[in-house]
């Protein structure tokens, strides 16, 4: 049986924004998707072009993390260029091309990050509503929409127990349609989005949810549904949000061998609760992620099972000088919140998946220096216990995992 919550969630996700739209004229102006920063080229007021580039170096005491990090990896590069064109006051076109090299997870081939038409349906001083059509960045949590732009990150790496880079493409964007809206009040702004479309499933997603590389393919079975509700205070000091998505994937085996996996399905609900407080020189951020999952009909070698992954973090940043910023973050993540120490996983797999693959506990400290409006340098240290966040593509042999490991990374970034 599929997730019953999925059948209930889709109409509820549809109902909330539409009720607001119908009763209040709820609306929103476009988010910062078309921009990479405050710099760029403007050709009049209608055409804007922005871009960014970053290069990182990652060194770990053990385990592969963004490439061959035990030997120091330089396979962490991002290049992006985007443009937006205001056709008229109600229509804007925007797109971004991204090249991302991330160890064995991504080889740097240029891809369309987003490409959309933004249609403003109604707008005045109190509200605005619109829709987007095309490849749309998903508004999940505080950072997913802008996760490709280094200048928008709290650190070199996003909190991995919430924003998994190993399944990044699954949650990054959707090919479909989105409704958005904002309602402005004296005390703050309420926002809502609702979208549906086809998610992107690549070999990283397949390896993560299938726990390895099998002779077959994993493909999207149904459209995903995504929704978000947000509140921003009038002073922009407080931001609260609840966002979520559903996804379903079907496994198609290439072999008829009776000992191979059978055509099974994976159903996922992924949701994030977000809170952030910003003062003049410091910010506090916390997010909680829940991910109920079901595996069905894979045959006797992969019995049906349910699990709920969980992740959360608390983070603080402090701007001790105008161009300098410190960051501290603690995060925990679990493959199954009912098996936090991984002991059940190790028993069920007869030791093939050690207990430490089921959790991650990470303490990170970082410093950022904004040299000027175009250039930024960062350094970051992380202490890891457990291996839940590690990519199965980069680390196919679970027996080689080291439970206790450290990461030191530096990054240089440029924008125009």
């Amino acid at each position: 049986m599929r997730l019953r919550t999925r059948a209930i969630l889709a109409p509820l996700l549809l109902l909330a924004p539409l009720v607001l739209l119908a009763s209040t004229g709820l609306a929103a102006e476009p988010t910062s998707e078309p921009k990479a920063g405050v710099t760029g080229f403007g050709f009049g007021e209608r055409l804007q072009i922005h871009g960014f580039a970053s290069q990182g170096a990652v060194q770990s005491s053990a385990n592969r993390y963004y490439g061959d990090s035990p030997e120091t990896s330089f396979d962490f590069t991002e290049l992006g260029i985007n443009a937006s064109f205001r056709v008229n006051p109600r229509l804007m076109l925007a797109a971004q091309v991204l090249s991302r090299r991330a160890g064995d997870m991504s080889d740097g081939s240029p891809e369309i990050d987003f490409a959309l038409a933004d249609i403003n349906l109604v707008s005045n001083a109190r509200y605005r509503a619109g829709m987007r059509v095309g490849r749309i960045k998903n508004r999940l949590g505080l950072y997913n929409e802008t996760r490709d732009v280094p200048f928008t990150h709290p650190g070199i790496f996003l909190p991995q127990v919430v924003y998994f880079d190993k399944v990044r493409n699954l949650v990054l964007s959707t090919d479909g349609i989105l409704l958005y809206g904002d309602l402005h009040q004296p005390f703050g702004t309420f926002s809502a989005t609702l979208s549906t479309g086809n998610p992107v499933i690549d070999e990283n997603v397949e390896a993560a949810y299938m726990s390895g590389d099998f002779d077959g393919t994993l493909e999207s079975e149904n459209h995903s549904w995504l929704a978000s509700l947000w509140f921003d205070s009038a002073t922009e000091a407080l931001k609260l949000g609840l966002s979520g998505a559903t996804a379903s994937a079907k496994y198609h085996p290439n072999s008829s061998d009776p000992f191979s996996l059978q055509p099974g399905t994976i159903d996922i609900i992924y949701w994030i609760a977000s809170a952030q407080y910003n003062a003049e020189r410091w910010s506090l951020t916390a997010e909680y992620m829940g991910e109920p999952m079901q595996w069905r009909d894979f045959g006797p070698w992969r019995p049906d099972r349910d699990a709920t992954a969980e992740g959360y973090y608390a983070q603080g940043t402090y701007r001790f000088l105008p161009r300098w910023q410190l960051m501290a973050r603690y995060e925990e993540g679990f493959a199954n919140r009912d098996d936090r120490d991984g002991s059940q996983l190790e028993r069920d797999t007869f030791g093939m998946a050690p207990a430490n693959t089921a959790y991650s506990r990470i303490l990170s400290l970082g410093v950022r220096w904004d040299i000027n409006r175009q250039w930024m340098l960062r350094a970051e240290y992380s202490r890891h216990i457990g291996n839940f966040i590690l990519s199965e593509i980069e680390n196919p042999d679970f027996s080689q995992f080291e439970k206790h490991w450290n990461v030191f990374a530096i990054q240089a970034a440029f924008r125009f």
Side-chain angles (χ1 to χ4, degrees), residues 277-300:
Y277 184 81
N278 296 298
E280 181 180 358
R281 301 181 68 178
W282 54 269
S283 298
L284 295 176
T285 305
E287 292 190 285
Y288 175 92
M289 180 279 301
E291 187 181 19
M293 298 168 286
Q294 286 187 343
W295 290 261
R296 293 292 185 266
D297 305 323
F298 284 94

Side-chain angles (χ1 to χ4, degrees), residues 357-372:
T357 64
Y359 60 84
S360 281
R361 297 179 174 90
I362 309 168
L363 176 64
S364 300
L365 301 172
V367 60
R368 168 175 172 168
W369 177 29
D370 291 307
I371 302 172
N372 52 42

Side-chain angles (χ1 to χ4, degrees), residues 6-22 177 179 192-196 225-229:
R6 176 186 173 89
I8 299 172
L9 183 62
L12 287 179
L13 294 181
L14 177 64
L15 181 62
L18 291 183
V19 167
L20 289 171
L21 283 166
I177 184 171
L179 302 176
T193 66
L194 172 71
S195 64
T196 184
W225 286 90
L226 305 95
S228 68
L229 296 171

Side-chain angles (χ1 to χ4, degrees), residues 33-141:
E33 283 179 345
K35 296 183 179 181
V38 296
T39 57
F41 296 113
F43 299 89
E45 296 183 357
R46 300 178 66 185
L47 177 63
Q48 295 287 324
I49 299 176
H50 302 266
F52 58 90
S54 70
Q55 176 63 55
V58 183
Q59 201 280 328
S60 65
S61 60
N63 306 315
R64 288 176 62 88
Y65 193 57
Y66 292 86
D68 190 12
S69 53
E71 299 296 329
T72 304
S73 171
F74 294 92
D75 295 335
F76 185 30
T77 308
E78 293 174 307
L79 301 169
I81 186 167
N82 58 61
S84 63
F85 179 67
R86 177 69 65 180
V87 179
N88 57 50
R90 292 193 175 276
L91 175 62
M92 184 178 71
L93 305 178
Q96 176 168 288
V97 176
L98 178 72
S99 170
R100 186 174 188 269
R101 186 175 54 167
D104 299 325
M105 295 181 289
S106 182
D107 62 5
S109 299
E111 297 180 351
I112 297 177
D113 200 32
F114 63 82
L116 58 91
D118 190 311
I119 305 167
N120 190 331
L121 300 175
V122 60
S123 177
N124 61 34
R126 290 190 58 244
Y127 53 80
R128 181 153 64 180
M131 64 185 296
R132 296 183 186 136
V133 181
R135 174 162 291 182
I136 305 158
K137 282 291 194 68
N138 297 326
R139 193 174 189 187
L140 293 170

